[in-house]
Amino acid sequence: MPDRNDRPERTFLFGPFRLSTSKRILLEGDRVIRLGGKAIEILIALVERTGELVSKRELVEIAWPDTFVVEANLTVQVAALRRALGEDDNANQYIVNSPGRGYRFVAPIKVLEEERPAVDQPAMQAAHNLPAQLNRLVGRAEALRSMKQKLTDSRLLSIVGPPGVGKTSVALRLAEAMLPQFRHGVWLIDLGSITDASLISSVIASALPIDARSSDVLSGIAAALRYKSLLLVFDNCEHLIDGASAAIGELLRGAGGIKVLTTSREPLRVDGEQVFRLPPLDVPPAGLSLGPKDALGYPAVQLFVERAAAVVNDFELTDANTGFAAQICRELDGNPLAIEVAAARVDAFGVNGLAARIEDRVHLLADARRGTPARHRTIAAALDWSYQLLCERERYVLRCLGIFAGSFTLEAAVSVIPAAEGADTASILADLVCKSLVSVDIGSERTRFRLLEITKAFALAKLVEQSERNELAARLAACVTEMLCRYADGPKQVQTLRDAVQELDNVRGILDWAFSTDSHAQAGVALAAAAVPVWLENSLLTECIAWTTRAIDALDPAIESERNEMVLKAAHGLAVMFTQGMTGQSRDALNRAIELAARLGDRQWELRARLGLIVFQHRRGDFKGALEGTQRIETLVADADEPAALAMTKSAKSASLFFRAEYATALELAREAHEYFRTHSDVSQIGRWGLNHSVYAQCVMARAYWNLGRFDRTVRACLSAHSEAEETGNPTSICQALSWCGVSLFLSLEDLDRAACAIQRFRQVAQDNDIQSYVFSSIGFEGRLLFLRGQIEPAERLLREALSKLSGAQYENVSIPFLGRLAEVLAADDRPEEALLASAECLERTKATEALWLLPDSLRIHGDVLATLQGPDSEPAEAHLREALEVSERQGALGWELKSAESLASFLRQQRRNSEAAAMLERTLGKFTEGFDAAPFRRTKALLDALHDRKPG
């Protein structure tokens, strides 16, 4: 079998399609038909051997090389391919099945030779999460044109109509057509998988490529979308109409560049909403005798013929069956879903027999359900009729599939549905796809299945009717729990955990079921614990808090559940810390997780919880406690066979040592940690540890370089940290890099242009993602920048605002430095008494928190303020300035030493002690080996020249 890379580069033309083997894409006109890798390989294999029978074994080996898969996978892929190729009345003019043997491509083709590109240049992929649309949309061209115009002219369009009328299909095709108009993409948000309106914001967040770390998720999402140009497609809004309306209204008000497309059975009634009522497909009127050609002028008949041809190779409309086909379409009120379901049984009954059975069933259900609208009875009749035609095992499998709230894989279906002797669940699932009862998406590398919402509701009702729901829900809970645990511990953790967002609909559905009664609660506890890495990796922190709270409340003391409690408490503590600040609730949860891990002897989770607590202590300003905690976990890491844990411990310890002013050791550890992460980019850091320790380590490196007086390396390290953070796309990591080692260090270097750019980016990311603590920090940094530019009044206003807002979040390691900056502003504004209060508080809090890294500067600022207040002969001022210099020298903090020496020299100069001042400056400046162009160095050098009464040189 030739390797796919050795194939000749050719383009095959057949019907309206163009298949390129080099680009591995299928086009219908100018539209790309989105097929997954497996489907495109199967199609290429068949087309390259047009007219030949290609065995099922060969096709499986081509699409799944070196992998064992059941034959039903192939059946599903071919069924989806047939739908993708269903361009005209005879869909199976392309691929024909030879039962039990294989498939044959039978259409005429034209071959164009291609030249292999010298450089592989894949087409730019638009940003979206839309499933591949394989079926041709019948009879909706005019509706699509009208809807496109409405959405172009407005910001909110709702497609309204009864069940099964095709609202979702039309919305997805419209969204796909409008992709080029939205620079930041088109994003599908399916509300059909949830029943609780409180989960709407989490579903939105998990569907979008944003990081909303806010206790108010919806406002965080609106902030993240504020400057974006994108289209949000809300599908299945009707059962949560009030919650959906409120959420969509808030998003539209908060993000002026977005547009919204919804599907619902009723309008949202939101200001500015445009409504398009999607009608059924046109059907031939009763009493009108039509030939095949005229009947095909009606979209309902076109749809019926295309779907019938998908299951019967040689099906066509004839004079004999046209009247019956028209009758079927009329009986089903032109409802597309009902027509598809019915047409899928032409192989069993023929058109004539099908018409008789449809009529009987509709009348029967009409009598039995007199209280429901006719259009609802029609779709229910079609589903119930099709359900009764299935064999008992097929009915059972369809009922079982109703337990899935969202999409699912073949492996999950096989695992959840109890096996039966002589019945292959995978094959039955493939048959249900062919019968239009199950939808399949082959647009990605891994095939996923889904029931349409109306079909899912029908199947779940049957499941409840048969008293089978609890058994299936328990099996699904166990299946998803095991799956998520495997994802968290497997290879390529970062990407796997991000992809696992697709499972969250099923997670939410099962958690709702589990926590609805005490008898199932422990299954929910186990599932919530397994879902923790997915919530954390995807920054779904508010949802994480909600479910872990319910799971913790459901813990049963009589049941051995300490391990689950440990995981849940650790996740809860991290999520609360990142959204609500350094609260007692967060600290207590992390400490409880540590206690449980130690009792269970689980070193891995003890490490995770302890690392989380150290981050908490860093933010809270408990630097001594953080260092003690780091030293405690070193003994755990020493014997643990987990290099990632060792690297993260080094990262955390480097930060603790930095805050304790042990800069050389901190720098060495940070370098070692970063080197590990540089070569192990697949390690999940946020999902397992709550923080990107690679960026964290680079921040320590940059800060240590500045304190050690290596100013040139400081700039390079800052830029490297920013670049890595931006590459991750994680807003928290970007803000971390900009806040800790970007904005603050550029300001310390007095590189005001770089600082201004960094502040702008910092504020934008923080505001867009509603990360409040970083928004407050950006305000303070802006105040410092204005002070350095000589704008005293606005600088004071912004610094006071930042301090006021940061106090509630208890970010001591951010607010204490801002307090010192405020003191400098007040002193410069000739208000020394007020400045003294601020500098004294800054120094007191620095000593109270043992923030040794900040001590030299707090001493310097207080000394400068005392000199301003008491004059050049102030002994306390000189004492504080000398202590600042001595502490800097003792720490090896050349960066702080430079600032302290400059302040002390200026003080001594006022007393005409120039020689003493000059000798001190010469000693300090002589220690520098780089950074000679930095503004603080140049200014201090100029002061030295002035003391020697010589021109700067």
Side-chain angles (χ1 to χ4, degrees):
M1 183 186 309
D3 186 272
R4 67 185 65 176
N5 293 320
D6 296 332
R7 288 174 173 147
E9 302 307 317
R10 295 181 293 182
T11 294
F12 295 92
L13 306 180
F14 52 91
F17 300 103
R18 183 185 186 95
L19 174 64
S20 169
T21 61
S22 63
K23 297 177 182 176
R24 298 180 73 245
I25 60 172
L26 176 69
L27 297 115
E28 182 181 10
D30 294 329
R31 186 172 76 92
V32 176
I33 306 295
R34 289 191 287 117
L35 302 175
K38 305 291 186 286
I40 202 73
E41 287 299 328
I42 293 169
L43 180 59
I44 290 173
L46 290 172
V47 173
E48 286 183 332
R49 295 167 61 180
T50 296
E52 296 181 33
L53 179 68
V54 185
S55 71
K56 292 182 177 181
R57 180 183 60 80
E58 287 181 89
L59 290 173
V60 167
E61 289 177 356
I62 289 169
W64 294 272
D66 305 317
T67 305
F68 172 77
V69 296
V70 296
E71 190 179 288
N73 283 281
L74 177 62
T75 304
V76 168
Q77 295 286 339
V78 172
L81 270 176
R82 283 177 163 172
R83 293 196 171 194
L85 299 172
E87 193 275 332
D88 57 22
D89 301 341
N90 297 302
N92 280 2
Q93 66 180 349
Y94 299 114
I95 300 175
V96 173
N97 178 29
S98 180
R101 299 174 63 197
Y103 298 92
R104 179 182 284 111
F105 193 85
V106 297
I109 64 170
K110 181 179 180 181
V111 183
L112 302 178
E113 297 296 333
E114 300 178 356
E115 291 185 9
R116 179 181 288 274
V119 179
D120 187 18
Q121 296 178 324
M124 182 71 71
Q125 294 296 313
H128 66 82
N129 64 342
L130 303 175
Q133 295 302 291
L134 301 180
N135 290 339
R136 186 171 77 94
L137 203 57
V138 176
R140 299 302 194 190
E142 185 56 41
L144 282 170
R145 279 192 292 271
S146 177
M147 283 185 271
K148 189 173 183 179
Q149 187 60 53
K150 282 178 176 285
L151 193 52
T152 299
D153 295 340
S154 65
R155 295 185 62 209
L156 171 61
L157 173 63
S158 293
I159 303 175
V160 174
V165 79
K167 299 184 294 294
T168 298
S169 296
V170 169
L172 292 177
R173 188 57 54 84
L174 176 62
E176 193 174 73
M178 298 190 75
L179 267 171
Q181 299 183 24
F182 296 95
R183 186 160 55 93
H184 298 106
V186 175
W187 304 95
L188 173 65
I189 299 153
D190 186 2
L191 300 184
S193 60
I194 60 171
T195 57
D196 184 351
S198 68
L199 289 173
I200 290 176
S201 56
S202 288
V203 173
I204 299 171
S206 60
L208 296 174
I210 61 172
D211 185 6
R213 294 196 170 200
S214 168
S215 56
D216 184 353
V217 177
L218 200 58
S219 65
I221 294 169
L225 301 182
R226 185 172 297 136
Y227 305 109
K228 299 287 194 299
S229 167
L230 49 74
L231 174 65
L232 302 182
V233 183
F234 284 83
D235 195 23
N236 300 300
C237 297
E238 54 274 340
H239 63 301
L240 299 171
I241 194 72
D242 292 335
S245 299
I248 290 168
E250 182 168 344
L251 291 178
L252 288 170
R253 287 189 296 272
I258 72 168
K259 295 194 176 190
V260 174
L261 175 65
T262 77
T263 71
S264 177
R265 295 181 194 175
E266 60 178 297
L268 301 182
R269 297 177 175 85
V270 173
D271 286 346
E273 178 185 26
Q274 293 286 308
V275 176
F276 187 95
R277 297 189 180 275
L278 190 65
L281 297 176
D282 288 341
V283 301
L288 185 63
S289 179
L290 298 173
K293 183 177 180 180
D294 291 334
L296 285 170
Y298 292 89
V301 178
Q302 289 180 37
L303 178 64
F304 178 84
V305 171
E306 287 193 10
R307 298 302 181 261
V311 293
V312 179
N313 286 344
D314 58 353
F315 179 82
E316 61 181 8
L317 208 58
T318 66
D319 289 333
N321 64 22
T322 295
F324 293 107
Q327 176 188 338
I328 291 169
C329 293
R330 281 195 302 273
E331 290 285 355
L332 297 178
D333 298 323
N335 185 287
L337 177 59
I339 291 170
E340 288 197 31
V341 170
R345 301 318 304 259
V346 167
D347 59 338
F349 302 105
V351 181
N352 301 20
L354 191 62
R357 285 168 171 76
I358 285 285
E359 183 178 16
D360 289 345
R361 197 71 192 170
V362 170
H363 289 166
L364 174 64
L365 279 138
D367 292 339
R369 304 179 184 181
R370 292 188 185 279
T372 59
R375 62 180 182 274
H376 289 193
R377 291 200 302 269
T378 298
I379 187 61
L383 284 171
D384 196 59
W385 170 83
S386 188
Y387 175 77
Q388 295 302 329
L389 293 178
L390 300 174
C391 71
E392 179 51 43
R393 181 63 187 176
E394 288 174 324
R395 288 198 292 269
Y396 180 66
V397 169
L398 182 62
R399 291 200 302 273
C400 291
L401 295 178
I403 202 65
F404 289 98
S407 65
F408 53 91
T409 63
L410 177 61
E411 292 75 14
V414 171
S415 174
V416 169
I417 300 172
E421 186 175 349
D424 178 15
T425 298
S427 297
I428 292 174
L429 178 58
D431 289 341
L432 293 175
V433 170
C434 295
K435 292 178 170 67
S436 296
L437 291 170
V438 177
S439 299
V440 59
D441 179 10
I442 60 171
S444 57
E445 285 305 304
R446 194 168 193 195
T447 302
R448 296 188 71 86
F449 301 86
R450 171 186 295 277
L451 297 185
L452 295 178
E453 293 308 311
I454 190 69
T455 312
K456 185 195 307 177
F458 175 87
L460 186 59
K462 290 291 184 184
L463 199 65
V464 172
E465 185 180 299
Q466 297 292 324
S467 301
E468 296 164 332
R469 181 184 186 184
N470 287 344
E471 177 193 358
L472 268 296
R475 292 178 68 92
L476 179 56
C479 170
V480 177
T481 299
E482 187 275 332
M483 181 192 308
L484 295 182
C485 289
R486 190 171 69 247
Y487 289 168
D489 295 328
K492 298 183 178 179
Q493 295 166 347
V494 174
Q495 192 57 49
T496 302
L497 289 173
R498 289 177 182 173
D499 291 343
V501 166
Q502 297 179 95
E503 305 298 340
L504 286 183
D505 285 340
N506 294 321
V507 170
R508 295 169 184 132
I510 292 301
L511 289 178
D512 267 333
W513 164 82
F515 294 135
S516 65
T517 174
D518 291 343
S519 59
H520 309 309
Q522 297 317 301
V525 168
L527 178 55
V532 157
V534 184
W535 288 321
L536 292 181
E537 185 65 53
N538 294 281
S539 294
L540 299 173
L541 299 184
T542 301
E543 181 172 0
C544 181
I545 292 171
W547 288 122
T548 54
T549 299
R550 292 185 69 178
I552 290 168
D553 290 343
L555 288 167
D556 187 345
I559 298 175
E560 189 68 30
S561 58
E562 286 189 332
R563 174 170 170 73
N564 285 331
E565 182 185 358
M566 170 188 70
V567 175
L568 294 167
K569 288 283 189 179
H572 191 78
L574 287 169
V576 170
M577 174 175 67
F578 285 124
T579 55
Q580 299 172 17
M582 274 49 68
T583 65
Q585 180 185 4
S586 172
R587 181 195 57 235
D588 293 346
L590 290 169
N591 278 322
R592 175 60 175 165
I594 292 168
E595 175 192 339
L596 290 169
R599 183 187 305 166
L600 294 170
D602 191 322
R603 290 187 303 183
Q604 301 302 315
W605 269 101
E606 185 175 354
L607 287 171
R608 297 173 191 184
R610 286 193 181 279
L611 281 169
L613 184 60
I614 288 168
V615 174
F616 176 96
Q617 290 166 325
H618 286 166
R619 290 169 166 238
R620 184 73 175 264
D622 182 6
F623 305 121
K624 181 180 179 181
L627 183 58
E628 291 173 352
T630 305
Q631 292 167 341
R632 280 197 295 270
I633 70 172
E634 284 185 297
T635 56
L636 292 171
V637 174
D639 299 328
D641 184 20
E642 188 166 355
L646 178 60
M648 291 177 191
T649 301
K650 288 180 178 180
S651 170
K653 185 175 182 180
S654 73
S656 296
L657 290 173
F658 169 82
F659 290 127
R660 299 288 292 172
E662 298 180 36
Y663 303 122
T665 309
L667 179 59
E668 180 182 356
L669 287 174
R671 282 172 171 164
E672 291 175 5
H674 182 254
E675 178 59 24
Y676 174 83
F677 295 121
R678 188 182 65 81
T679 56
H680 296 78
S681 59
D682 280 342
V683 174
S684 169
Q685 297 179 45
I686 297 173
R688 303 184 74 190
W689 312 96
L691 188 73
N692 187 318
H693 279 275
S694 180
V695 173
Y696 205 53
Q698 285 213 77
C699 289
V700 174
M701 291 166 60
R703 298 290 314 206
Y705 281 137
W706 187 91
N707 282 54
L708 292 169
R710 303 174 189 176
F711 292 164
D712 293 340
R713 287 182 234 191
T714 298
V715 174
R716 292 196 294 270
C718 283
L719 296 177
S720 177
H722 298 169
S723 176
E724 180 179 339
E726 291 285 358
E727 285 179 10
T728 70
N730 184 282
T732 304
S733 298
I734 294 170
C735 288
Q736 183 185 68
L738 289 167
S739 170
W740 197 21
C741 74
V743 175
S744 58
L745 290 182
F746 290 146
L747 288 170
S748 294
L749 291 169
E750 298 177 35
D751 187 342
L752 302 190
D753 289 340
R754 272 201 175 116
C757 291
I759 290 171
Q760 182 180 15
R761 175 63 176 155
F762 181 38
R763 182 172 56 246
Q764 177 193 7
V765 175
Q767 288 178 342
D768 285 357
N769 295 277
D770 198 31
I771 310 176
Q772 290 298 310
S773 61
Y774 286 135
V775 173
F776 304 154
S777 298
S778 73
I779 295 170
F781 287 132
E782 180 73 22
R784 176 61 175 171
L785 177 64
L786 292 175
F787 170 71
L788 292 175
R789 286 177 166 169
Q791 301 177 47
I792 301 298
E793 184 179 345
E796 178 188 352
R797 176 175 50 79
L798 291 178
L799 282 165
R800 288 191 183 279
E801 181 183 352
L803 285 165
S804 173
K805 291 180 175 178
L806 282 167
S807 63
Q810 302 185 63
Y811 276 89
E812 289 291 282
N813 61 339
V814 176
S815 58
I816 292 176
F818 283 157
L819 196 55
R821 303 303 171 222
L822 177 62
E824 291 181 303
V825 169
L826 295 170
D829 198 32
D830 198 23
R831 294 151 65 189
E833 292 84 0
E834 292 179 63
L836 185 64
L837 292 174
S839 66
E841 183 181 349
C842 173
L843 181 57
E844 180 184 351
R845 287 167 63 177
T846 299
K847 291 179 177 179
T849 58
E850 299 189 36
L852 299 183
W853 70 285
L854 194 58
L855 182 58
D857 205 42
S858 297
L859 287 165
R860 177 192 65 80
I861 292 171
H862 194 54
D864 281 342
V865 170
L866 285 169
T868 302
L869 179 65
Q870 298 175 0
D873 297 323
S874 170
E875 293 183 4
E878 182 173 349
H880 279 86
L881 292 174
R882 289 194 179 278
E883 185 180 359
L885 185 64
E886 291 166 3
V887 172
S888 300
E889 291 180 308
R890 191 165 60 246
Q891 293 178 351
L894 189 55
W896 289 137
E897 183 182 336
L898 182 68
K899 293 176 74 69
S900 300
E902 181 188 4
S903 287
L904 181 56
S906 297
F907 179 82
L908 294 174
R909 187 185 186 190
Q910 293 182 64
Q911 298 180 359
R912 302 187 183 279
R913 297 156 66 183
N914 290 16
S915 296
E916 182 183 353
M920 178 188 60
L921 288 184
E922 285 178 342
R923 186 171 64 251
T924 296
L925 291 173
K927 296 178 183 179
F928 278 83
T929 60
E930 62 176 81
F932 305 124
D933 291 329
F937 184 92
R938 287 188 285 107
R939 187 177 57 252
T940 306
K941 180 66 167 57
L943 175 59
L944 176 61
D945 291 336
L947 290 168
H948 285 309
D949 195 21
R950 65 192 181 202
K951 294 181 180 179

